[in-house]
Amino acid sequence: MTATAVAHPNIALVKYWGKADASLALPATGSVSMGLDVFPTTTTVTVDGGSGDGLEARDAFTLNGRVVEDGALVRVREFLDLVRDLAGSDAHASVVSENTVPTGAGLASSASGFAALAAAASSAYGLDLSTRDLSRLARRGSGSATRSIPGGVAVWHAGDDQGSYAEPIPAPPMAMVVVTIDAGPKPIGSREAMRRTIATSPFYPAWVTSTTETVGDMLDACAAGDFTRIGEITESNALRMHATIEGAFPPIRYLNARSVAVFDAVAELRAAGVEAYATADAGPNVVVLTKPEDRGAVASALAGFGDVIESGTGPGARLVRSEGTGTPDPGVVPDRQEGAE
Ligand code: PMV
């Protein structure tokens, strides 16, 4: 029983920052993202049939050719436990993942990672989940992974365990330019930073209230195909998230002087008539939202600030191979949304 899946990262246009329920990974607010068509993660899960606690029978995790034995292995095991619960299995598995995202750089490597793991592991354990249920499962691995299951432009609903999943929404054609300023690991991971922000930032309640409104505004702007409004909301919401995080104690600051310089350069591009809007996740790297026809010009203008990669709107997670799993032939992850047909 082995299955291989591919998933891509996504960049939030309206950010997820903080959980309402940590054990179920329910977000405090909804969020909206664009999936990328660069930096795929390819993950193969092989269920080996062994069970119990013998060392040789435990789950194993290899990332980019290196055996992982730290906290990342614990997260993968905990995630496989959820899959095993759903499948009624106690068999261990080996997970082999090739991740082309600069891991831990605030470029959502966990989004593509847990989306690919959810798709591959559920198939390897013989589950045949709908896109919605796969998105709910990916959520338990990493919040942003919820949105990498549908890909494209997607909304992730806040709600209870059943209602908190991501689904595609109509949107105008868009592109992104990723400016990698620093590909090293971030000083503090998003889980811990979220906890500290909720516990200590006086701005956090305002973040929750305003972001809940902003999700509605973004859905309206996407439905109207209003690129300018989408861009304005994207940049504003990113800066609000960073301001909220900076309000934590001890403070957390992800943006550095070079990140801020990219925000300034993007403002200059706008002043020169190129529609471009900056955003940044939990790290110093800046991602610029633009129109597909402008992505080359934006990439050239920002090339001096770091490694620059252009991306279009990417696909959802998909199975590329499954053997002996009882699931149908590999293909796009089944596009069945319960209640939506
Ligand atoms: O999925 P996590 O737990 O790594 O959190 C991601 C948080 C942000 O990337 C900063 C925002 C988002 O919505 O993706």
Side-chain angles (χ1 to χ4, degrees):
M1 310 243 283
T2 181
T4 302
V6 179
H8 290 75
N10 67 80
I11 300 293
L13 309 175
V14 179
K15 307 291 187 192
Y16 147 62
W17 194 258
K19 294 176 180 66
D21 181 324
S23 63
L24 288 172
L26 299 174
T29 71
S31 56
V32 178
S33 63
M34 182 185 126
L36 303 184
D37 63 10
V38 294
F39 302 136
T41 298
T42 304
T43 296
T44 298
V45 175
T46 304
V47 177
D48 61 20
S51 61
D53 283 334
L55 270 184
E56 70 289 348
R58 306 279 298 278
D59 299 316
F61 177 34
T62 304
L63 177 61
N64 294 341
R66 300 178 70 155
V67 175
V68 177
E69 278 169 349
D70 60 8
L73 172 63
V74 175
R75 274 182 82 174
V76 165
R77 280 190 177 146
E78 286 172 356
F79 188 79
L80 290 174
D81 284 342
L82 294 170
V83 179
R84 282 188 278 261
D85 276 355
L86 287 172
S89 166
D90 60 359
H92 292 298
S94 77
V95 176
V96 177
S97 197
E98 292 295 325
N99 191 355
T100 59
V101 191
T103 300
L107 272 179
S109 60
S110 61
S112 54
F114 278 101
L117 181 60
S122 57
S123 173
Y125 277 93
L127 295 166
D128 184 16
L129 300 182
S130 66
T131 310
R132 180 180 293 188
D133 283 340
L134 210 45
S135 174
R136 291 175 51 238
L137 175 63
R139 187 190 83 219
R140 305 289 293 274
S142 167
S144 52
T146 315
R147 300 180 310 234
S148 277
I149 295 294
V153 178
V155 59
W156 170 19
H157 303 287
D160 60 9
D161 182 33
Q162 287 297 323
S164 187
Y165 58 89
E167 61 183 342
I169 55 170
M174 299 194 285
M176 285 183 162
V177 175
V178 180
V179 185
T180 304
I181 286 167
D182 182 352
K186 50 198 172 198
I188 171 167
S190 55
R191 277 188 178 191
E192 172 55 24
M194 284 179 196
R195 276 197 286 266
R196 193 189 298 173
T197 306
I198 293 171
T200 66
S201 176
F203 310 138
Y204 190 71
W207 161 259
V208 172
T209 311
S210 68
T211 300
T212 302
E213 279 170 25
T214 302
V215 170
D217 293 345
M218 181 59 93
L219 294 179
D220 290 347
C222 285
D226 187 342
F227 178 81
T228 303
R229 185 83 186 116
I230 292 170
E232 288 170 352
I233 295 172
T234 296
E235 189 164 311
S236 156
N237 181 260
L239 291 172
R240 284 179 179 177
M241 180 187 77
H242 285 279
T244 306
I245 296 171
E246 289 174 15
F249 190 86
I252 301 164
R253 188 164 53 82
Y254 285 118
L255 301 179
N256 64 27
R258 292 165 68 204
S259 322
V260 175
V262 178
F263 273 73
D264 285 347
V266 168
E268 278 171 28
L269 277 171
R270 279 200 300 273
V274 180
E275 281 220 73
Y277 301 89
T279 185
D281 286 337
N285 302 310
V286 180
V287 181
V288 181
L289 179 70
T290 189
K291 292 181 173 172
E293 60 269 31
D294 290 334
R295 64 189 244 184
V298 170
S300 315
L302 300 177
F305 291 92
D307 279 353
V308 168
I309 305 251
E310 294 176 37
S311 174
T313 306
R318 69 195 175 98
L319 277 179
V320 293
R321 190 168 70 101
S322 70
E323 284 166 18
T325 60
T327 30
D329 281 344
V332 175
V333 165
D335 191 18
R336 293 186 286 99
Q337 306 272 342
E338 305 96 312
E341 287 168 355

